């Protein structure tokens, strides 16, 4: 039997090259945590910021530092992304979070915060927030530029009544810009305080709000645009198919 040495050498070289490439991918490029320290922390926050969200990168850093979990300048082998996630998830303003390391010594934090839609200020002095899902969140000075609701408001009323109404208002560009405040009266009926115009809008019971706002928008467009925004001091859209106005004393 004659051995084809040329073919054998080529096969051996192919095997050596394949082994080398495999080691280059799996071993040589493997990050050495013992020899690497964290040189940068990238914090990305999604959700809520456009409407006055609760969190910003500085606040996330502060939450991690308080529990000694901020990884900057720490050896990568001692950085626990799982513990970082557990710390951040304890915040009532965090919906979910993912932390991970990169091969170049960076630690990334990808966080989704709860989106507030309403700042509740009750007649009894209690303050808190309601998010887009109707969850109650504690008051903090980190959130601003939110729609405000005042008056006689229980937690149940805020979650089941006001949260859906706030979502409806914020989903409409006109009403988002025009609505300054909601006020709940002692009988549970609702008033709307507009940004433009010296009048109060009485919505009545907190139901059929889209229909009431549509009727009011038409009155704005075809009525107040002709007579003037300050002609009335009270506009009621409580009842179907009618608008009741009370003239201003000015």
């Amino acid at each position: 039997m004659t051995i084809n040495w040329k073919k054998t050498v080529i096969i051996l070289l192919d095997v050596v090259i394949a082994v080398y490439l495999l080691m280059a991918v799996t071993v040589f490029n493997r990050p050495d945590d013992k020899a690497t320290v964290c040189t940068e922390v990238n914090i990305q926050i999604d959700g809520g910021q456009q409407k006055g969200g609760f969190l910003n990168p500085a606040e996330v850093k502060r939450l991690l530092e308080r529990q000694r979990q901020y990884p900057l300048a720490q050896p990568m082998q001692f950085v626990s992304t799982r513990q970082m996630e557990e710390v951040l998830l304890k915040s009532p303003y965090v919906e979910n979070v993912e932390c991970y390391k990169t091969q170049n010594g960076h630690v990334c934090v990808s966080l989704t915060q709860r989106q507030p839609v309403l700042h509740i200020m009750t007649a009894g002095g209690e303050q808190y927030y309601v998010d887009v899902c109707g969850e109650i969140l504690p008051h903090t000075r980190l959130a601003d530029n939110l729609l405000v609701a005042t008056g006689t408001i229980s937690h149940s009323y805020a979650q089941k009544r006001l949260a859906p109404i706030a979502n409806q208002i914020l989903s409409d560009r006109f009403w988002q810009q025009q609505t300054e405040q909601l006020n709940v009266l002692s009988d549970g009926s609702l008033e709307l305080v507009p940004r433009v115009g010296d009048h109060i809008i009485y919505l009545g019971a907190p139901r059929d709000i889209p229909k009431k706002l549509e009727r009011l928008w038409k009155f704005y467009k075809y009525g107040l645009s002709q007579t003037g925004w300050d002609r009335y001091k009270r506009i009621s859209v409580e009842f179907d198919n009618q608008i009741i106005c009370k003239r201003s004393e000015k």
Side-chain angles (χ1 to χ4, degrees):
M1 179 179 179
T2 303
I3 299 176
N4 189 336
W5 290 104
K6 183 177 181 180
K7 184 176 181 180
T8 302
V9 170
I10 291 175
I11 293 175
L12 289 175
L13 287 175
D14 289 341
V15 171
V16 170
I17 292 173
V19 171
Y20 175 81
L21 291 174
L22 180 63
M23 293 181 64
V25 172
T26 60
V27 178
F28 298 154
N29 288 338
R30 183 181 301 165
D32 185 357
D33 283 352
K34 295 182 179 180
T36 306
V37 298
C38 176
T39 58
E40 185 174 328
V41 181
N42 298 314
I43 300 175
Q44 180 178 354
I45 301 175
D46 294 325
Q49 291 178 310
Q50 71 280 10
K51 297 183 180 67
F54 298 109
L55 299 176
N56 53 47
E59 177 64 14
V60 173
K61 176 183 178 182
R62 188 184 67 82
L63 291 173
L64 292 171
E65 288 179 334
R66 183 187 298 174
Q67 299 299 322
R68 298 182 179 180
Q69 293 297 324
Y70 192 66
L72 188 64
Q74 299 297 318
M76 294 294 276
Q77 64 173 326
F78 297 135
V79 174
S80 172
T81 54
R82 181 176 179 180
Q83 291 182 8
M84 291 173 61
E85 292 173 351
E86 290 176 352
V87 167
L88 294 175
L89 285 172
K90 290 180 180 178
S91 170
Y93 311 118
V94 175
E95 185 173 350
N96 56 64
V97 63
E98 180 183 3
C99 302
Y100 57 93
K101 306 176 187 179
T102 66
Q103 293 183 357
N104 57 355
H106 294 183
V107 175
C108 299
V109 179
S110 180
L111 182 147
T112 302
Q113 64 176 324
R114 298 190 181 278
Q115 182 176 320
V117 293
L118 202 58
H119 181 184
I120 306 293
M121 304 174 66
T122 71
E126 185 181 9
Q127 291 194 57
Y128 54 91
Y129 301 100
V130 177
D131 75 358
V132 68
C133 297
E135 296 293 327
I136 291 178
L137 303 170
H139 179 253
T140 175
R141 296 185 181 275
L142 294 174
D144 56 8
N145 300 322
L146 292 177
L147 179 62
V148 175
T150 58
T152 308
I153 306 173
S154 66
H155 283 196
S156 176
Y157 189 100
Q159 292 178 291
K160 296 179 181 180
R161 299 293 188 180
L162 291 181
I165 293 173
N167 285 328
Q168 291 168 359
I169 290 174
L170 295 176
S171 66
D172 186 285
R173 185 174 181 181
F174 174 80
W175 289 114
Q176 181 181 359
Q177 296 177 348
Q178 173 68 348
T179 307
E180 181 175 357
Q181 180 181 334
L182 297 173
N183 185 50
V184 181
L185 304 181
S186 58
D187 62 354
S189 61
L190 197 60
E191 293 177 332
L192 185 151
V193 181
R195 295 185 185 276
V196 179
D198 189 18
H199 56 266
I200 299 295
I201 299 162
Y202 183 65
L203 297 174
R207 59 174 179 266
D208 298 327
I209 298 299
K211 293 182 180 179
K212 294 176 180 179
L213 292 180
E214 176 66 18
R215 196 181 332 136
L216 181 60
W217 179 82
K218 291 180 179 179
F219 178 68
Y220 274 174
K221 183 177 181 179
Y222 301 109
L224 291 188
S225 62
Q226 303 296 324
T227 63
W229 288 80
D230 296 329
R231 183 170 185 176
Y232 304 106
K233 67 178 182 179
R234 186 175 178 84
I235 300 172
S236 173
V237 292
E238 177 183 11
F239 304 110
D240 291 340
N241 301 319
Q242 61 178 300
I243 296 178
I244 301 173
C245 301
K246 186 174 182 178
R247 286 180 178 274
S248 174
E249 298 175 358
K250 294 180 182 179

